């Protein structure tokens, strides 16, 4: 029997700005099982990263504020924990890899010191034990001459190697969940492929669950078991990866997939683009947030925001319209 590790329910997060309150996450719910990889996709500003930062109480307060919801890790609500309790989970049981390794690593501390610190804190290792384990971790993620490189500083590593160090750091305490926040964004294509292959191999070896946040649908296809598509602070479609790519049901998901270049096409075709702009979230959407950009829009879409409804085997969508027929769902 597969155990559920994470259960997020009706999560809402806001940010107070001089222009007004931004409703960044607007009632997000999802689950994550042992050993599963969940891909979270959507364009910039849709709430992907803020959702995961909120679960770990890493949203800066102020300006941010988690106003509703629960994030249950093995049945315990992380949002209700005090700082001491949540620190025992962050890094030890749930780790996170951030987008830019250069800004995530401390520029005036050696790589060895930064790798050793979480193990000394969470696993009560001595300095020598943590140093030995750091060498093993660097070797695991493919850093050559690992023992010598412990004394180096972040600027002495390339971009791809810094990202490998971040992965090693995230794995140092053998977490049950690894959250990867667009870890390949700043890297060139060949290094991206190496990082994805590395994470897949480590997932198989260590059996951890992964949440992979990205806007790259190509990466999701190769790494995820299940995909959640976000728009305007909502999850608007969720499905097993094969179902999502073969039978997308939300107009936004269809647009995202149509915007991917198709290698097998014989004739040149202009890439599809979704017209319009993402919503500015100074007001929590009461109607469908995608309605202004949707080619299937109906009168109901302007007045009511649809909830996620089951339309197939583990396939849920928040849309009033059946995109296969163009008619309103019953």
């Amino acid at each position: 029997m597969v155990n559920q590790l994470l259960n997020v329910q009706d999560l809402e997060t806001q940010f107070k700005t001089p222009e007004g309150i931004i409703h960044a996450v607007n009632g997000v719910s999802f689950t994550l099982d042992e050993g599963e990889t969940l891909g979270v996709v959507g364009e910039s500003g849709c709430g992907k990263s803020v959702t995961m930062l909120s679960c770990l109480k890493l949203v800066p307060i102020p300006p941010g504020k988690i106003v509703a919801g629960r994030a249950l890790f093995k049945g315990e609500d992380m949002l209700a924990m005090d700082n001491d309790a949540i620190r025992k989970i962050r890094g030890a049981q749930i780790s996170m890899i951030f987008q830019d390794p250069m800004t995530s690593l401390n520029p005036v501390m050696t790589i060895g010191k930064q790798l050793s610190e979480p193990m000394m804190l969470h696993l009560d290792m001595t300095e020598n034990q943590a140093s030995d384990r750091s060498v093993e971790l660097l070797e695991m993620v493919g850093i050559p001459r690992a023992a010598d490189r412990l004394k180096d500083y972040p600027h002495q590593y390339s971009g791809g190697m810094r990202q490998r160090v971040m992965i090693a750091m995230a794995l140092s305490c053998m977490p049950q969940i690894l959250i990867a926040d667009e870890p390949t964004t700043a890297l060139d294509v060949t290094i991206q492929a190496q990082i994805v292959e590395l994470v897949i191999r480590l997932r198989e070896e260590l059996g951890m669950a992964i949440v992979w946040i990205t806007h790259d649908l190509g990466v999701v296809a190769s790494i995820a078991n299940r995909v959640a598509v976000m728009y305007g602070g909502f999850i608007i479609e969720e499905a097993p990866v094969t179902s999502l790519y073969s039978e997308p049901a939300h107009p936004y998901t269809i647009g995202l997939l149509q915007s991917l270049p198709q290698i097998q096409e014989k004739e040149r075709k202009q890439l599809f683009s979704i017209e319009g702009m993402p919503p500015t979230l100074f007001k929590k959407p009461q109607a469908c947030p995608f309605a202004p950009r949707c080619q299937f829009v109906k009168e109901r879409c302007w007045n009511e925001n649809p909830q996620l409804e089951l339309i197939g085997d583990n396939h849920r969508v928040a849309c009033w319209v059946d995109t296969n027929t163009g008619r309103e769902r019953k």
Side-chain angles (χ1 to χ4, degrees):
M1 182 178 173
V2 177
N3 292 324
Q4 189 180 90
L5 290 178
L6 189 63
N7 183 356
V8 177
Q9 302 169 359
D10 302 316
L11 182 67
E12 292 188 33
T13 303
Q14 300 173 358
F15 289 89
K16 191 174 183 180
T17 72
E19 292 78 25
I21 292 175
I22 296 174
H23 299 264
V25 178
N26 297 308
V28 166
S29 299
F30 66 92
T31 61
L32 182 71
D33 293 336
E34 273 185 350
E36 181 183 30
T37 299
L38 173 68
V40 182
V41 301
E43 58 200 64
S44 297
C46 71
K48 308 183 299 292
S49 299
V50 174
T51 295
M52 296 306 159
L53 291 171
S54 299
C55 291
L56 293 174
K57 294 181 75 173
L58 286 172
V59 171
I61 302 173
K65 186 180 181 183
I66 301 165
V67 297
R70 301 199 300 166
L72 303 175
F73 174 62
K74 297 196 291 189
E76 295 286 327
D77 186 6
M78 293 187 288
L79 303 185
M81 292 179 180
D82 60 27
N83 288 335
D84 288 339
I86 194 72
R87 280 195 196 106
K88 290 177 182 176
I89 290 177
R90 289 196 302 241
Q93 298 178 70
I94 304 177
S95 286
M96 192 161 183
I97 307 169
F98 296 95
Q99 283 188 41
D100 186 356
M102 197 62 215
T103 56
S104 301
L105 291 166
N106 190 325
V108 296
M109 284 176 65
T110 65
I111 294 297
K113 178 73 173 172
Q114 294 183 64
L115 274 170
S116 297
E117 203 171 57
M119 291 183 284
M120 293 166 68
L121 176 67
H122 293 296
L123 303 178
D124 293 326
M125 286 188 178
T126 65
E127 192 171 339
N128 287 337
Q129 288 172 330
S131 180
D132 292 342
R133 176 63 177 155
S134 296
V135 173
E136 292 174 12
L137 288 164
L138 289 185
E139 288 173 344
M140 185 192 297
V141 297
I143 300 289
R145 298 185 296 107
D148 297 331
R149 300 306 306 264
L150 288 182
K151 302 184 186 72
D152 289 345
Y153 290 86
H155 72 272
Q156 294 173 278
Y157 283 66
S158 67
M161 289 175 75
R162 284 195 294 266
Q163 196 58 283
R164 288 170 184 268
V165 169
M166 289 299 299
I167 293 170
M169 197 177 297
L171 298 177
S172 60
C173 297
M174 303 295 285
Q176 293 173 276
I177 300 175
L178 176 67
I179 300 172
D181 186 3
E182 303 204 36
T184 60
T185 298
L187 308 174
D188 64 57
V189 176
T190 53
I191 303 300
Q192 282 184 27
Q194 290 174 16
I195 295 297
V196 170
E197 286 173 12
L198 171 63
V199 172
I200 291 171
R201 176 173 62 80
L202 293 174
R203 177 189 64 189
E204 291 168 354
E205 289 176 5
L206 305 176
M208 61 190 172
I210 297 173
V211 179
W212 189 282
I213 304 168
T214 186
H215 57 266
D216 189 335
L217 286 158
V219 170
V220 168
S222 64
I223 200 170
N225 306 116
R226 189 161 50 93
V227 185
V229 182
M230 289 192 69
Y231 186 83
F234 298 92
I235 291 178
I236 49 93
E237 186 164 8
E238 183 186 348
V241 66
T242 50
S243 299
L244 189 94
Y245 280 75
S246 61
E247 300 173 20
H250 196 283
Y252 178 63
T253 312
I254 293 169
L256 286 180
L257 291 170
Q258 286 178 344
S259 69
L260 291 174
Q262 301 296 322
I263 296 173
Q264 66 269 26
E265 286 182 356
K266 295 178 182 177
E267 295 181 7
R268 288 186 179 181
K269 249 167 53 173
Q270 188 171 352
L271 283 177
F272 177 83
S273 63
I274 302 171
E275 303 236 337
M277 297 289 290
T280 55
L281 296 170
F282 289 113
K283 288 184 180 179
K284 184 178 177 180
Q286 300 303 313
C288 176
F290 191 63
R293 305 173 72 184
C294 183
Q295 58 183 316
F296 298 96
V297 67
K298 305 291 183 189
E299 186 63 32
R300 190 179 187 183
C301 306
W302 298 105
N303 301 313
E304 296 178 67
N305 193 359
Q307 299 297 308
L308 278 171
E309 299 287 347
L310 197 66
I311 61 165
D313 189 19
N314 294 321
H315 193 154
R316 300 189 299 159
V317 67
C319 186
W320 295 123
V321 180
D322 184 336
T323 51
N324 290 318
T325 63
R327 298 195 187 107
E328 207 171 299
R329 292 184 192 276
K330 295 180 181 178

